[in-house]
Amino acid sequence: NDDDVSGWAYRSNLLRERIGLVDADVVCIQEVSPESFESDFAFMREDLGYDGVELFRKGRFRPATFWKTSRCDLVTPPVHKDRTLLTAFQLKKIETISTSECDDKTWYVLNCHLQAGAQAGRRLRQINEGITAVVKLGRKLKEKNPTDPRLVVCGDFNGSSECAAVRYLEDGSINTDFIEYGGSVTSKEKKIPLDNTMIDVASLPELGRPAPPTLVVPELISLMVNKDTKAFESPRLSTDLVARFRRIYNQFASSVSEDGTKTMTCADVEKWLIIINDFVGRGTEFRNAAKEMGWKDPAEDQNKNNTESSTTTQPVKKARISLPENGILTLQGFLNVYEDELRNGKFWGIAHDLSVLNEALPDAGVFQGRYDRMYCSSAIRPTAVLDTISQVSCPNQAEPSDHLPVVASFQPS
C-alpha cells in the first residue's frame, strides 16, 4: 500500500526527499536488509547520484555507507569490524568546496550500529575496535599524525549519554569499575588511542539548546516489564504480557497430551515464525526457539572434545541452526524466547510481534531517547548542524524511520 506510512514505498519516498534536500557528500545508514538492499536503495544512485556504496559484510540488518564519487574518492578498501564500517576519503577540488578543505589529507568516516540490549561490554569493545582501526589505517596510509585524524563517528549507539561506549568517546577512557546493566563492562582499562577526546556534534554549547532526541517511538517499557524488575537489569515479562503470550501460544499449539497440556510442534512453530518474521530462519525468536526445542550445535561438542584431548585439528565450523523436526516448544520455552527479547532491549520487536499476532498493545504515550549520535575529532570542526524534531511517534507521515537523522557539515580545524 503506497499510502501506508509504515510501508517501504511511502518511507523510501520520504528518505529520497530528505537525503536529496541535505545533499551530503557521505550518507551513513543503519539497519538495512542485505536481501533487498539493491532494490530498496536503488534511488540513492539513480535519483540522488550516490554512486559509491559499501554494505557491511554480515548480519540480518547492516550499516551501509554511500558517497558521491564526484566529490570524494575512496582511498583504500573499507574496513569491516564488529558492527562498525570504516571508510576513508579524499575530497576532490570542486567549486563549492574551499581550498583548505581539499588538501591531500584523508577524511575518515566510522559508521556504527553498536550491539543492542544488555551487552554494554560488547558495545564498548566495538567502538574501541572501530577507533583503533582508524589509527591503524592512518599508519598504513602513512599519515603524518595518525592519532589526530580527520574523523567523523556516527550511527546508532544503542545507549544513552551515560553508557560506556559514549563515555569512552567523550571522556577518553573507561575503567574496570564502570558499571552498566548491573555489571562491569571491561576487565582492563580502555583508552581512546587519539590525541584528544571526540566532540559530540549535536551538543555544542554554541547551539544554545539541549541535543534533541533521535528516537521517538511508542512508550513500551511500562507495559512490558514486570513492576518488580528493572528494564535494564534482568527484566521479567509483565503479567499482562505473559497473559497475551499464553493466548498466542494456545492458538498455535496443536498437540494435546492426555492430561490436556498443549504444546507447539515444529509445524506450529514454523507458522508462528512466518507470521512474525515472514519466513523461517531469521530473527532471534527463531534461533532461541530452536534451542528451546533441543537444537544443539554439534560443532560445540566436537571442539570441546578436541580441546580436552589436546587435538590440534582445525575447529569445526558452526552448523546452521534449524528447528528439530520432532522437537516441541513448551509454553515455558515460548515465554523464555520473549523474555530473552526483553533482556536484550528489543521492546519494539516484541511490540511488532504482538501486533501481527492480533495482541496489539494499548497506547501508553511516547518514549524519547537519544541513541543516534555524531562525533568529530579535534582535527575538524562542525560548521553546521541540522536538527530533526518530532513530537509524535515515528515513523509517521513526515518521518521515514523510528530513528531521526543527525546531520552536520565540517571543515578542518
Side-chain angles (χ1 to χ4, degrees):
N1 185 347
D2 290 347
D3 296 325
D4 179 8
V5 298
S6 64
W8 181 246
Y10 188 94
R11 294 169 63 202
S12 62
N13 282 330
L14 283 181
L15 274 174
R16 181 188 295 107
E17 292 174 9
R18 180 69 54 80
I19 295 171
L21 177 66
V22 173
D23 193 29
D25 299 329
V26 179
V27 177
C28 296
I29 297 178
Q30 297 80 42
E31 292 195 76
V32 303
S33 170
E35 295 163 2
S36 57
F37 177 73
E38 293 294 336
S39 58
D40 285 349
F41 291 92
F43 69 85
M44 291 292 287
R45 174 188 289 270
E46 296 171 1
D47 300 339
L48 302 181
Y50 288 93
D51 49 351
V53 61
E54 181 73 10
L55 176 65
F56 195 69
R57 287 176 182 158
K58 60 183 180 179
R60 176 184 169 192
F61 294 120
R62 309 179 186 181
T65 301
F66 299 85
W67 64 93
K68 294 190 174 184
T69 60
S70 60
R71 298 183 186 172
C72 49
D73 289 322
L74 190 69
V75 299
T76 189
V79 177
H80 298 243
K81 294 295 183 181
D82 184 11
R83 286 180 168 258
T84 64
L85 174 60
L86 173 62
T87 44
F89 303 98
Q90 283 186 350
L91 297 182
K92 291 184 174 179
K93 294 181 179 180
I94 58 178
E95 292 181 3
T96 57
I97 299 181
S98 67
T99 304
S100 64
E101 290 178 77
C102 287
D103 52 30
D104 60 357
K105 287 190 175 181
T106 302
W107 292 68
Y108 300 88
V109 178
L110 187 66
N111 184 356
C112 308
H113 182 203
L114 304 186
Q115 182 67 43
Q119 298 194 45
R122 185 176 174 191
R123 282 192 292 276
L124 176 60
R125 290 194 299 274
Q126 287 167 341
I127 194 64
N128 177 64
E129 184 181 56
I131 298 295
T132 301
V134 174
V135 176
K136 288 181 177 179
L137 185 56
R139 290 182 177 133
K140 182 178 179 180
L141 295 174
K142 302 189 183 305
E143 295 273 10
K144 185 177 180 180
N145 187 359
T147 56
D148 188 28
R150 292 179 179 177
L151 169 63
V152 175
V153 178
C154 60
D156 183 355
F157 280 68
N158 270 311
S160 69
S161 60
E162 297 306 313
C163 76
V166 168
R167 300 273 40 96
Y168 168 84
L169 293 180
E170 297 185 15
D171 300 337
S173 66
I174 295 293
N175 292 316
T176 56
D177 58 358
F178 191 100
I179 303 298
E180 188 174 344
Y181 277 87
S184 174
V185 298
T186 181
S187 59
K188 62 179 181 179
E189 183 183 22
K190 283 187 169 56
K191 299 179 97 175
I192 196 167
L194 303 176
D195 290 351
N196 299 288
T197 56
M198 301 290 290
I199 300 164
D200 181 3
V201 171
S203 294
L204 293 169
E206 52 265 40
L207 294 174
R209 52 91 184 111
T214 62
L215 186 66
V216 183
V217 291
E219 204 293 306
L220 298 173
I221 291 176
S222 63
L223 301 174
M224 292 186 176
V225 178
N226 189 296
K227 291 181 172 56
D228 295 330
T229 62
K230 296 181 179 179
F232 301 105
E233 291 183 23
S234 302
R236 302 294 302 273
L237 294 170
S238 67
T239 302
D240 178 64
L241 247 63
V242 170
R244 290 175 183 273
F245 284 127
R246 282 181 181 273
R247 290 195 292 269
I248 292 168
Y249 181 86
N250 286 329
Q251 289 173 8
F252 283 97
S254 64
S255 178
V256 184
S257 64
E258 292 182 358
D259 65 359
T261 301
K262 301 181 73 174
T263 54
M264 288 176 69
T265 65
C266 183
D268 298 334
V269 172
E270 289 177 345
K271 290 177 184 177
W272 159 61
L273 291 171
I274 289 170
I275 292 175
I276 63 171
N277 288 334
D278 293 333
F279 60 86
V280 176
R282 70 187 294 187
T284 49
E285 299 101 331
F286 159 73
R287 293 190 288 275
N288 288 327
K291 292 173 184 176
E292 290 288 344
M293 295 170 70
W295 182 87
K296 290 185 178 180
D297 186 352
E300 291 183 5
D301 290 336
Q302 184 62 51
N303 290 329
K304 182 180 179 181
N305 291 337
N306 290 344
T307 301
E308 291 175 350
S309 62
S310 301
T311 304
T312 57
T313 56
Q314 289 291 325
V316 178
K317 187 177 180 180
K318 286 186 177 181
R320 189 179 185 86
I321 297 176
S322 61
L323 299 177
E325 186 175 345
N326 297 318
I328 61 168
L329 183 61
T330 65
L331 172 60
Q332 187 57 54
F334 188 72
L335 294 174
N336 290 344
V337 168
Y338 280 105
E339 201 142 87
D340 184 80
E341 295 288 290
L342 190 71
R343 283 194 298 271
N344 282 285
K346 298 182 179 182
F347 308 112
W348 296 277
I350 296 174
H352 163 269
D353 290 5
L354 287 168
S355 179
V356 298
L357 294 168
N358 299 316
E359 284 282 357
L361 294 169
D363 183 0
V366 174
F367 170 85
Q368 296 186 340
R370 184 169 169 243
Y371 290 180
D372 308 271
R373 295 168 176 268
M374 183 178 292
Y375 289 90
C376 69
S377 62
S378 59
I380 57 178
R381 62 183 180 87
T383 57
V385 177
L386 177 64
D387 289 345
T388 302
I389 306 295
S390 179
Q391 302 299 330
V392 296
S393 296
C394 302
N396 53 45
Q397 290 183 328
E399 296 301 332
S401 172
D402 52 351
H403 293 257
L404 299 175
V406 182
V407 183
S409 59
F410 302 91
Q411 287 183 344
S413 294

